[in-house]
Amino acid sequence: AGVGAWSELISATTLLNTPVLKATSEETVINLTWVAIANATKYEIEADGAVVATVEEPSYSHTSLLPGTAHKYRVRALTETNTSAWTAVLTQSTIPASVSGLAINTVTNAAIALKWNAVSGATGYDLEIDGTVVAATGTAYTKSGLAANTDHTFRIRSKNAAGVGAWSELISATTLLNTPVLKATSEETVINLTWVAIANATKYEIEADGAVVATVEEPSYSHTSLLPGPAHKYRVRALTETNTSAWTAVLTQSAVPGKVEGLLLNTATTAAISIKWAAAIGATGYELEIDGTVVAVTGTAYTKSGLAANTDHTFRIRAKNAAGIGSWSDMLNASTQLNLPTALKGVPEETAVVLTWTGVVGATKYEIEADGSTVATVSEPSYTHSELLGGTAHRYRVRALTDTNASAWTAVVSQTTLPGSVSGLTVNSATTAAIALKWNAVSGATGYDLEIDGTIVAINAVAYTKSGFAPNSEHSFRIRAKNASGAGAWSEIITGVTQLSVAVPKGTVDRTSITITWENVAGATSYEIEADGQIVAIVSDPAFVHLDLLPASVHKYRVRAFNDQNTSVWSSALSIRTLN
């Protein structure tokens, strides 16, 4: 169909070319340069996100910066009517500052350890050691492999991607002298120290137990006037007028221990003797002579087992440690015990306990302890402990004796006398089917045997109710106390009777009277009638007529049965209303 009309004419201009940005660094300045852009009349510089300058020449120096800090730059070309795109962001750091705080941290005979303060913006350090530069990271460096007693110099500078900082001041240090190797030998009151002489050393300092005790020129020293046995700690270092070695490792050395004191008998049994002694200062062990035979011992006690009963033995001891052996103690004589009496037992009575045991070979008498006190010494293996209370517990032990020896005590045997007779057995209450009994507690009793109509039941209290009886029936009772040792004597027999059966009343009414009836109660000879809370009659037949009542009045009745020796409980209350 054809083409339409043209639109209005518009125009547009392409951007200026984009500069290519470069940078160089100083400690507090970053210098920016770029190739000039054709037709551009000026350039806009942005530093760390803010426009800081507009210049006509293709260069700019960013000044007054902190050393070792990173900055971000971009540039664009301008005319009065046009602009270029911004350059890509260029990140450039200032050169780091000089290193401060370079110092010697530690020195040994083969190494010197350095430290310095971290420099902001540094990515590493150049450390010059005796004129040779090594790269270092962090803020410490140890130069190893050095000869003893030699001098060395050090300086350092920081660096980052922008360049290196200025060198620090030069420092120097000297490695230590070589460390002596210490040895020792002991006498009872003297410890002798020796070591190999150290090259260049002019003297040696000796420390004993934490204090410097001497400075000597020769590689040996004797520490005198010591107590036998105690341990001492030593270390030595070599010296010149201007240098020193490290201290040697601490050497612990003991004097030879002295004579053992306090050897004595601790305990004795029928087959063993236990001895003890005071610890000898500095001793690491002991030699114990038993009946002429030496055994090695640690600690301050020893038990010799496997001995015969009632036999004599000799003991002496001496201390030892790594330095040597001390002198023998005085001799100790000791004996094993007599054999222990066996089969100790007690047979209880109400006021006595009869003790017996198996006799001991060699024993001439026996000592009896009752309840913690010695009560007798007898020559025969039996004893009767009398005049005791019934139902009381007692503790016994026995040991065998000679004039010069004794057995151990036997294990404690506990025995309780038989309990006394029960008092106060009475009938507490009775119902139609049960009789309740009570009695006084018996000291030392752990229970009771209650005989009911000839049958015994075991009871652990001081009261008992026997159920299942027939109404109005008679029963006999007696009781005895018991404990682990046996049973006491029976009490006197008592009797108890169950109650009569309970009447169950019924009623019939008219306007002015109420007739109450009930079934005959077996064994009853009469009945008591309660009307409205008052006893109104005693009758022999199971009926009662309540006369002269008001019409429409309510009345309550109870009945109980009687005979010459017994009664029932009251019946439940019966409530009845007369007619209108």
Side-chain angles (χ1 to χ4, degrees):
V3 295
W6 287 104
S7 68
E8 294 295 321
L9 194 66
I10 66 169
S11 63
T13 304
T14 56
L15 296 178
L16 292 168
N17 283 326
T18 304
V20 178
L21 186 59
K22 296 181 180 180
T24 61
S25 298
E26 301 173 32
E27 191 169 304
T28 61
V29 177
I30 294 176
N31 299 303
L32 304 174
T33 59
W34 56 92
V35 175
I37 300 301
N39 301 318
T41 59
K42 52 188 174 181
Y43 302 92
E44 194 171 41
I45 297 94
E46 182 184 275
D48 300 323
V51 174
V52 294
T54 302
V55 299
E56 295 179 356
E57 299 300 319
S59 64
Y60 174 74
S61 292
H62 195 195
T63 61
S64 302
L65 304 176
L66 293 174
T69 54
H71 302 275
K72 297 181 182 292
Y73 300 96
R74 61 179 186 169
V75 174
R76 65 178 178 177
L78 301 173
T79 68
E80 293 301 326
T81 59
N82 202 2
T83 181
S84 72
W86 286 102
T87 62
V89 172
L90 172 65
T91 299
Q92 185 75 13
S93 297
T94 52
I95 293 170
S98 298
V99 178
S100 65
L102 179 63
I104 305 302
N105 194 20
T106 60
V107 179
T108 69
N109 62 334
I112 296 173
L114 303 150
K115 64 180 180 178
W116 56 89
N117 298 327
V119 174
S120 178
T123 58
Y125 302 89
D126 286 337
L127 178 64
E128 186 184 274
I129 305 171
D130 298 331
T132 300
V133 176
V134 295
T137 58
T139 57
Y141 184 85
T142 298
K143 174 59 179 173
S144 303
L146 304 176
N149 196 32
T150 55
D151 299 324
H152 303 274
T153 60
F154 306 89
R155 65 177 182 167
I156 195 168
R157 64 185 178 186
S158 60
K159 60 184 178 180
N160 62 14
V164 294
W167 285 108
S168 68
E169 294 295 319
L170 198 66
I171 67 169
S172 61
T174 303
T175 53
L176 298 181
L177 292 167
N178 281 326
T179 305
V181 178
L182 187 58
K183 296 181 180 180
T185 59
S186 297
E187 302 171 32
E188 190 167 302
T189 60
V190 177
I191 294 174
N192 300 304
L193 304 175
T194 58
W195 57 92
V196 176
I198 299 300
N200 302 318
T202 57
K203 53 189 172 182
Y204 302 92
E205 196 169 40
I206 296 94
E207 184 185 276
D209 300 324
V212 173
V213 293
T215 301
V216 298
E217 295 180 356
E218 298 302 317
S220 64
Y221 174 74
S222 292
H223 195 196
T224 60
S225 302
L226 305 176
L227 292 174
H232 300 275
K233 296 182 182 293
Y234 300 95
R235 59 180 189 166
V236 174
R237 65 177 178 177
L239 302 172
T240 67
E241 293 303 321
T242 58
N243 202 4
T244 180
S245 73
W247 286 103
T248 62
V250 172
L251 172 65
T252 300
Q253 184 76 13
S254 297
V256 173
K259 183 178 179 180
V260 177
E261 302 294 338
L263 179 65
L264 52 84
L265 174 66
N266 191 21
T267 60
T269 69
T270 56
I273 294 174
S274 175
I275 59 173
K276 63 181 180 179
W277 54 92
I281 297 174
T284 57
Y286 302 89
E287 290 184 350
L288 177 63
E289 184 185 275
I290 305 171
D291 297 332
T293 300
V294 175
V295 294
V297 180
T298 57
T300 57
Y302 183 81
T303 299
K304 174 62 178 174
S305 303
L307 304 176
N310 199 29
T311 54
D312 299 325
H313 303 274
T314 60
F315 304 86
R316 65 175 182 166
I317 194 167
R318 61 185 178 184
K320 62 182 180 179
N321 62 15
I325 301 174
S327 56
W328 285 109
S329 70
D330 296 331
M331 192 74 76
L332 171 70
N333 298 308
S335 300
T336 53
Q337 288 186 314
L338 288 164
N339 280 322
L340 185 72
T342 58
L344 175 63
K345 62 181 179 179
V347 177
E349 300 173 6
E350 188 169 314
T351 60
V353 175
V354 179
L355 301 172
T356 58
W357 58 91
T358 302
V360 174
V361 174
T364 57
K365 51 191 172 182
Y366 302 92
E367 193 171 38
I368 296 94
E369 183 185 276
D371 301 326
S373 299
T374 299
V375 293
T377 301
V378 298
S379 57
E380 298 300 319
S382 64
Y383 173 72
T384 299
H385 193 200
S386 56
E387 298 182 358
L388 305 177
L389 296 174
T392 55
H394 302 277
R395 297 164 62 83
Y396 301 98
R397 60 179 188 166
V398 175
R399 66 176 178 176
L401 303 173
T402 68
D403 290 339
T404 59
N405 204 356
S407 74
W409 287 101
T410 62
V412 171
V413 171
S414 295
Q415 188 65 55
T416 301
T417 54
L418 298 178
S421 298
V422 180
S423 64
L425 178 64
T426 58
V427 173
N428 193 26
S429 64
T431 68
T432 57
I435 295 175
L437 303 155
K438 64 178 182 179
W439 55 91
N440 298 326
V442 175
S443 177
T446 58
Y448 302 90
D449 287 337
L450 177 62
E451 185 182 272
I452 304 170
D453 296 333
T455 300
I456 295 174
V457 294
I459 299 169
N460 292 321
V462 292
Y464 182 78
T465 298
K466 172 61 179 174
S467 302
F469 289 142
N472 195 34
S473 57
E474 185 175 274
H475 303 276
S476 64
F477 306 91
R478 64 174 181 168
I479 195 167
R480 63 182 179 185
K482 61 183 179 180
N483 60 19
S485 299
W490 286 108
S491 69
E492 295 295 322
I493 293 175
I494 68 168
T495 59
V497 180
T498 56
Q499 289 185 317
L500 291 165
S501 294
V502 181
V504 180
K506 298 178 181 179
T508 58
V509 298
D510 60 24
R511 289 185 74 252
T512 60
S513 67
I514 296 173
T515 300
I516 304 299
T517 61
W518 57 90
E519 296 290 334
N520 256 325
V521 173
T525 59
S526 58
Y527 303 94
E528 195 170 34
I529 295 91
E530 180 188 274
D532 299 326
Q534 300 292 324
I535 303 298
V536 294
I538 297 174
V539 298
S540 56
D541 293 321
F544 169 72
V545 179
H546 198 191
L547 301 171
D548 301 324
L549 303 177
L550 293 174
S553 59
V554 177
H555 302 276
K556 291 185 178 181
Y557 300 93
R558 297 195 302 172
V559 177
R560 63 177 176 179
F562 282 96
N563 62 30
D564 291 340
Q565 291 92 25
N566 205 355
T567 182
S568 74
V569 297
W570 286 104
S571 69
S572 298
L574 174 66
S575 182
I576 302 177
R577 179 189 295 272
T578 56
L579 299 177
N580 287 330

